[in-house]
Amino acid sequence: MAYPDDSALRGLPREAPGEGVLGGPLFEREPLVTGGKNYAQVTQDVVRWSERYPTRKWWMAMGIAGAVFTLYLIGMFGTTVYGTGLLGINHPVGWGSYIINFVFWIGIGHAGTLISAILFLFRQKWRTGINRTAEAMTIFAVMVAGTFPLLHTGRPWFAYWLTPLPNGRGPIWPNFNSPLAWDVFAVSTYLTISLVFWYLGLLPDLASVRDRARHPWRKALYNALALGWNGSNRAWRHYESAYLMLAGLSTPLVFSVHTIVSFDFATAGLPGWHATIFPPYFVIGAIFSGFAMVVTLMVIMRKVYGLESYITLNHLEAMNKIIMFTGMVVGFAYSTEFFMAWYGGNAYEGFIFKNRAFGPYWWAYWIMFSCNAFIPQLFWFKKFRRSIPVMFFVVICVNIGMYFERYVIVVTTLHRDFLPGSWGMYSFSPFDWMVLIGSFGMFFTFFLLFTRVFPVVAISEVKGILPASQGRVPAAKAEVSHG
Amino acid sequence: MAEAGQGEACATVQVELPDGTSLRLGRRDFMRIGAVAAAAAGIAGCAPEQERILPRVHRPEEARPGLPLNYATACQSCPAGCGVVARAREGRVVKVEGNAEHPVNRGALCARGQASVLDLYDPDRARSSMLVARGKAPPVTMSPEAVDQAVTDALKKANGGKPRVAVLTGSIQGPAMRSLLTDFVELFASARVVEWEPLGSMTETIQAAQELCYGKRLIPQYRLDRADVIVSFGAEFLDTGLSPVQLARYFAKRRRPEDPRGMSLFWVFEGRMSLTGSNADHRVRVRPSHLADVAMALANAVLVERKFGPLAGREDVTKPLAGFGVDAVAARTGVDAGAIRAAASDLIKHASRGVVMGGGAASTGPSGLALEIAVNLLNSALGNDGPTVDWVRPSMQAAGPFGDLAELVHELRGGKYDALIIWGANPVYSAPPVLGFAEAMAHVPLVVSIADRLDETSRQADYLVAAAHWLEAWTDVAPLWGIIGVGQPAMQPVGAMRGLGDVLASWASLLGATGALADATAQAAGKDAVPSAAYHYIKRYWREHVFPSAGVDKEFEEFWRDVLHRGVLVPETYPAPGAPREFAASALALPSWEAGKQGELELALHAPHGMYDGRSGNNGWLLEYPDPVTKITWDAWVGLSPRRMKAIGLIDGDVCEVKAAGYSVWVPAVSIPGQHDDVASVPLGFGRTAAGVVGNDIGANAFTLALMTARGPQLAGQVVTVRKAGWHVELAIPQGEKTIDLSERPLIPLATLGEFRKDPKAGTERPEGDWSIWPRHEYPDVRWGMAVDLSACIGCGACTIACQAENNIPTAGRKGVRRGREMHWLRVDRYHVMPVSPRKARTRAELEAQTASREKAKADPTWLDNPVVVAHPLMCQHCENAPCETVCPVGATNHSNDGLNVQAYNRCVGTRYCSNNCPFKARRFNWFDYSRDRDNWFSRLFEAEMPKLAAMNNRWPLQLRYNPEVTVRSRGVMEKCTFCVQRIAVGRGKAKDENRKIKDGDVVPACAETCPTQAIKFGNLSDPTSEVAKLRASPRGLTMLDEQKVGSSVTYLTKVRNDEG
């Protein structure tokens, strides 16, 4: 059976009556790549974007992203030079948009490693179409995220004090009781491992780009980037074992990073933060938001870069299923929090949750709840799971909902804690808006540069899952390659 | 060490380095290094810039750099005349404290007294005299000599050499200063001195009523410390009336439930919600114009219904009361007759041990005199006159013979004067505009204003003579009978300013005076003498008039030195309290008055704690000082009852037009639970137009709403209309929620006296915490702790400002407070307590009852008509297991071994995690660089309020106010209450020097020192004999959030309300 494009896919195994081993029906999985691609076509489809002059669309997107990025730079400049007073934070809400953005972007950064490491270990081959982009997304999201905790401090130029500091009088240690100190290690480890993992996966593809390059500078550049990859058997063997080891290393990080980020809240003594549910709840929430962001990016990218054959509706549906599942877990966590607040019988905690849902920030709470717990329920219907407009709507909702989840956790807990006299309200200042919007500019600037420079699909891995590599030859094999 | 080495004939020099190691140098090496060092020092000397650390040429001989010098002097921020001790560092006053030996305030001081230091260094003060020329041209700076010459020349020429001079002053209490002024005006052919206090009309009525009833004008001293029952008719003695610090101290003496003499019972009848009223045991809402009726009804209840006391038998006394039957008045005024009878029976029960007080703004209205007469009648009838209403030693505070400003205005208009000299008054701002003072000034050829800035009045003068602050000039005060204090300057003026005495003496000598004034000037000019003529004049006056009658067995010089040292002369013996005076029934021929119709709004103006009458209008500390009743900062307001707000359709912050007698002000409305439904209260002192960058155009000037009566401005009782203006402003209120439900948040211990008698622990029952897995901290020697007696705390907030002054706390500005950026390390939360039982519900039925009463209170907030008010001072609790300490990633906040939660500013990177995790939210973050002037066009693009922040915090010479013992924080660091660690260091050093353990009194933090009611105690919790350890062990003691295992070092003692008659 031929699969020229997505329209032929149904998301279910193909049933071929009478083709089974014993003459019964044969259930065959639909191919992960459509269009009957051969190796050369795969390389051509992916690499061509970095070999041609950027398209008009790219320039437009880059122009917008760059302009928005400028907002971020101005906002960060203002708060760094004149003080965090330019933001909306106050007493008692000492953390505001910067921490919300930090947790949001770190959460986004989760899907990449999950896809590349955990799905790799579980032999989920459909990951190959999306893992490169998802990992890139992770790197950039963590980079964006990392700037916030540094710059939210009152004196960012001393942010390096959060690391152990060797000096002439002996090392000055950070306070290891503080989850913020753990954060520094967790996030920097995560960024490092993700970066190495991503880069390692890039090596064969960079070599492909190098091999196709005509301009000597280009050749030299990619040669350097490919670290002398020669495609030898030895190289492949080392590469694959290194890749496997890194996948093993990154898997616990998927859990550790957001667990530790959740400790920022969970180890504090405040009602609404001080809860043992936080680590799993944060990890699942992060995966949830990360997948939503991956789908957001993929839906656009497969269209713009003509990658529909590699990122098929089956891929998107698989991710949508994960989104639906994690969305239900998140919704369950929300309900559990309420239950525990009631069951625990602590008046302060009971108040906090009542206040979340029905206090002055009720709108934030219900945006969160409906976007994260209700709207993904649309994915119970296969039609919706496979409909691009519907899934785009849902994942945008999830992105918004997950932003508000962090807003609710940070703001509604702080704004009314133990003493009524110290209660207060929080709202964004223009700088909060600039930096929030600008952080998307920063992310997309990096992302657009990435799509220009690096192969956006893992060529070597996709080649590995082409039917030809799987030992069965579809009808399309007869076609002559022009690669 | 180096010098010692040189002096001795040894071959080597040993230099000890700070880390304990040492350097050994040969003689030649030493000489070599010494020569290089000397050369280097010489090079440094060539540098073009030189910073003068001590700006004074004449250093006081006792001054040592690094050590404070204390000068006893007298506060003149209001007429109460408290004694203060000014602490000068390196020649500059950095802090004032109450003078512990002064009988008025006994070491305490109010917020305004504390904030007066900031006025000294106000960047908008006139630091030199000016030719103002009635504001027709920009002012021209003049030297003191030039302005003296110009003024005296003009005086000499006026009216053919026979100038007719009017002098308008603020209250002058001191006998020497008064004599100096008299000597000065004697130089002129005709002269008139008018003393004018914008709030003088309140005390005028008391004096007038005293004269009518007893034949002598005076203000008695109300001995609240001797009173078992206090009944106040709008007397705002804990707010700003009379002598708030003294009366608060007296009041609090009898408010502790353990007191063997019993706790006093406090009845308040008042219209607006005042701080006084919020401390009442029984509060009855009466509109100001009805207070006289109710007071007469109370007299009726005592004398006619109960026939109590000797006066009850006198027909001439009881007959005039006939029209004031309790039930008739109750029906007329809507006041509960039962409350009047209950108050009467309380008064009778404690006859001769009670006080009835009047004297607030209500006494300035048409019925004011009747109110005061009724108060006198009650005190006489009950035998309080004498024992508790001390007329033998009357108060001289605010008791000035206030002249008639209206008459002066009339005469000025008629061209009766060639010159007008104004000092200590700002009538263009503070006189009711119906008087037309500004216009009258135009009729005088020469107007000279001796003022500290180009204020509203000085702007329309010919000359502004830069006046010294009271901390820079010689003066004297006499606040109470027999008590005279000398106000001595604690520092040289910040610029070319002079005190009133010096200015007048200088003019007198130029005008060719002879006598005491000329002598004083001559003495001041002498070599090596004190260069102040006022000093010599006052000293001479004291030698001639005070010393002989003081009856001390000393030389005058020694006596004088003692007085200067102590700041006050207190008589050796006091006369015994007088017998009750004869009450003149003729006073009961009351003038008629018209009581306001029910449902019609009437005005209640009041002098708020911060702004008072507006004299410190540019003081950022006071502008940011939360009003104790409304907690509003940086604005004036019109206060209405919640019901009235609803009826007009207002929410807090809706701007209203408040119109009375043809004048309007536009101020935001705020609902004040406890306010009478027919009363609109507006604070005075706001709306300055020429106060300075900080204070200009904050709020509106409510003096414009005052009417003019024979006894001065009428501040309450006139009909007023409040109309929604249609726009809204965000009020700058630092406190979040003002209502507390103690059954849900058992944070404040609260009980009634009856409950306390049954169980002293009543109100402190709290959920038991679990066991802790952590070992407790050990504090073998010292653990610092604090105890706050909520029964004594009246909520005035003086501690907040004392803390701000002591600890170099910046001012965040109006926008800052709106955004929740206030920096006060010590805040006073003020709660209305919901009528839900704070007892822990143990059965389902109890829980249901609790829930039901909570729902009822929420649905029908009539309990807010007369709410239970609790003031809750909150500072860093210095927790044993401080939540802030564990979460700081850089370890900038730590636990010290004496129990302090300390903050290393230099290590702080500003993650604000500590503040988030603080369950008390006691920490404060430096959002901007408050200590550096970063105001420029570029920064204003980012933050529009930069110019104001600069003018409040860091514009020259504000830097001089900094307490050098406390770090000035940079931006981006967290700060908080340190328990005044700098004072702890001094106390510890002192104890170590004397080789003993720390004891009570070695360390007194700024808040505890200034507290008028001594509600805050501080000391060593590890010493079981210390006062604070005893208070912590008291059954009334509660440490907050024990169930969170924080282990607070601050104990709050139950607020006990007296419910027993």
Side-chain angles (χ1 to χ4, degrees), chain A residues 80 87 90 94 178 264 269 418, chain B residues 745 821 887 912-913 917 971:
Chain A
T80 310
L87 300 170
N90 55 34
S178 168
D264 288 349
F418 295 95
Chain B
R745 292 171 189 271
R821 303 267 174 79
V887 298
R912 300 180 298 281
Y913 199 174
N917 207 25
R971 87 150 160 100

Side-chain angles (χ1 to χ4, degrees), chain B residues 90 118 208 222 284 325 399 432 466 513 562 566 572 585 691 744 779 801 884 908 912 923-924 932 998 1024:
Chain B
E90 279 74 60
L118 192 64
Y222 298 98
V284 183
D562 278 0
R566 297 178 63 185
E572 305 265 310
E744 285 201 324
Y779 306 99
I801 304 296
C884 53
C908 178
R912 300 180 298 281
R923 293 178 152 251
R924 293 289 175 262
R932 275 174 61 203
I998 289 219

Side-chain angles (χ1 to χ4, degrees), chain B residues 358-490:
Chain B
S363 65
T364 61
S367 64
L369 195 60
L371 168 65
E372 294 302 332
I373 289 168
V375 164
N376 291 345
L377 173 63
L378 276 163
N379 279 328
S380 277
L382 294 158
N384 299 337
D385 191 47
T388 54
V389 181
D390 187 350
W391 56 270
V392 179
R393 295 167 47 214
S395 156
M396 253 87 104
Q397 298 152 330
F402 297 119
D404 194 343
L405 189 67
E407 199 181 311
L408 177 73
V409 166
H410 185 72
E411 288 175 357
L412 291 177
R413 273 215 194 91
K416 260 192 87 178
Y417 296 108
D418 306 308
L420 172 64
I421 298 168
I422 304 171
W423 172 84
N426 187 2
V428 172
Y429 164 75
S430 62
V434 282
L435 268 182
F437 190 89
E439 188 264 337
M441 274 169 79
H443 295 273
V444 187
L446 175 68
V447 178
V448 185
S449 176
I450 309 172
D452 72 336
R453 68 191 62 230
L454 210 49
D455 59 18
E456 290 82 349
T457 306
S458 312
R459 271 204 300 207
Q460 300 184 34
D462 292 297
Y463 296 99
L464 166 70
V465 181
H469 190 271
W470 53 265
L471 282 163
E472 299 167 335
W474 284 95
T475 176
D476 65 345
V477 289
L480 299 176
W481 177 91
I483 292 162
I484 318 181
V486 176
Q488 57 176 331

Side-chain angles (χ1 to χ4, degrees), chain A residues 69-84 86-87 97-99 101-102 143-153 156-157 430-432 434-436 438-439 442, chain B residues 942 971:
Chain A
F69 186 23
T70 316
L71 282 182
Y72 172 90
L73 293 175
I74 295 172
M76 286 297 190
F77 172 82
T79 50
T80 310
V81 173
Y82 289 103
T84 31
L86 296 176
L87 300 170
S97 67
Y98 277 33
I99 295 296
N101 295 349
F102 164 66
M143 280 166 62
V144 174
T147 58
F148 287 107
L150 296 186
L151 292 167
H152 99 290
T153 59
W157 51 96
F431 282 83
D432 289 300
M434 272 158 77
V435 173
L436 166 62
S439 68
M442 179 175 176
Chain B
F942 290 97
R971 87 150 160 100

Side-chain angles (χ1 to χ4, degrees), chain B residues 607-620:
Chain B
H609 280 75
M611 283 293 102
Y612 190 53
D613 60 2
R615 62 178 75 187
S616 297
N618 202 40
N619 190 316

Side-chain angles (χ1 to χ4, degrees), chain B residues 110-197:
Chain B
C110 70
R112 256 170 310 115
Q114 289 287 353
S116 53
V117 178
L118 192 64
D119 285 341
L120 264 178
Y121 306 114
D122 186 347
D124 292 318
R125 255 184 98 184
R127 265 173 274 165
S128 61
S129 303
M130 292 175 197
L131 170 64
V132 186
R134 313 234 170 191
K136 284 182 201 121
V140 181
T141 305
M142 295 174 93
S143 71
E145 295 77 28
V147 79
D148 287 354
Q149 200 63 52
V151 170
T152 47
D153 283 353
L155 281 173
K156 277 181 198 157
K157 269 182 260 163
N159 196 27
K162 284 188 182 163
R164 298 163 300 168
V165 176
V167 183
L168 176 66
T169 71
S171 159
I172 294 181
Q173 289 174 357
M177 284 308 285
R178 199 163 266 165
S179 154
L180 188 150
L181 187 59
T182 316
D183 280 3
F184 175 74
V185 295
E186 270 171 11
L187 292 171
F188 306 106
S190 79
R192 179 192 174 105
V193 179
V194 175
E195 267 187 55
W196 150 260
E197 278 286 322

Side-chain angles (χ1 to χ4, degrees), chain B residues 1 14 25 39 47 86 127 153 342 376 404 407 418 438 456 495 575 631 697-698 734 738 940 945 954 1012:
Chain B
M1 279 151 289
Q14 182 152 348
L25 297 175
R127 265 173 274 165
D153 283 353
N376 291 345
D404 194 343
E407 199 181 311
D418 306 308
E456 290 82 349
K631 291 287 155 193
D697 304 316
I698 300 277
K738 298 187 198 74
R940 274 177 232 166
E945 219 181 26
N954 48 42

